[in-house]
Amino acid sequence: MNIRQCYEVLELNPPVSPDDLKQAYKDLVQVWHPDRFSHNPRLRQKAEEKLKQINLAYESLEPLLTQQALAQQAYSQRPSQRPTPPQTRSTGSPGSQANPGAYSPHAHHTYSGQTFTNNGSPSQPKTFWSHLSLKTRMQIYGVLLTLFIFALIWASIGFAYLLTTYPLFFLIPLGLVGIYFGLRHLSKY
């Protein structure tokens, strides 16, 4: 059962918190519990099958969402450092293969041509800028803004110096432009 099917069985739409998952599981267990259908063997069998699907979906999603919540909490506590991904759990006896549905921070799943991450949201390509924390990005913005302001101040000081030291350097071109537009204006009459 893939992740999307697990969400469908539990009647959930991602993203979902571990608490929402647990509440949906409890609700569905109460609705589909086989003891409610003890009077009808056919309905009881259907309820048992449905409850098996619900249990399988919950057992597949619960560790995934718990590990994602822990990773997100660790990431929010230390924004300047990337958290290490949690270890995947293996199922069965020691020496058995790792659970193929276990959490992997880089896992992507493809459904009908679109790629999704483990939490069910569409995956976005990672860029250098997206790997930086908000604090680091703000520091970069601050440095760039400071450099721009200093460059603007030095450019205005240089312009003021040139204007006071070499006034003819600026006045002659301005005078020529004025004469050109004046003659052009007079030529209309």
Side-chain angles (χ1 to χ4, degrees), residues 33-45 47-48:
H33 200 279
D35 290 346
R36 292 187 61 218
F37 304 100
S38 60
H39 60 281
N40 189 336
R42 186 179 57 81
L43 290 178
R44 182 179 177 89
Q45 184 179 1
E48 287 174 355

Side-chain angles (χ1 to χ4, degrees), residues 78-90:
R78 291 183 272 156
S80 62
Q81 298 175 354
R82 304 284 294 169
T84 57
Q87 298 294 323
T88 57
R89 274 196 264 177
S90 62

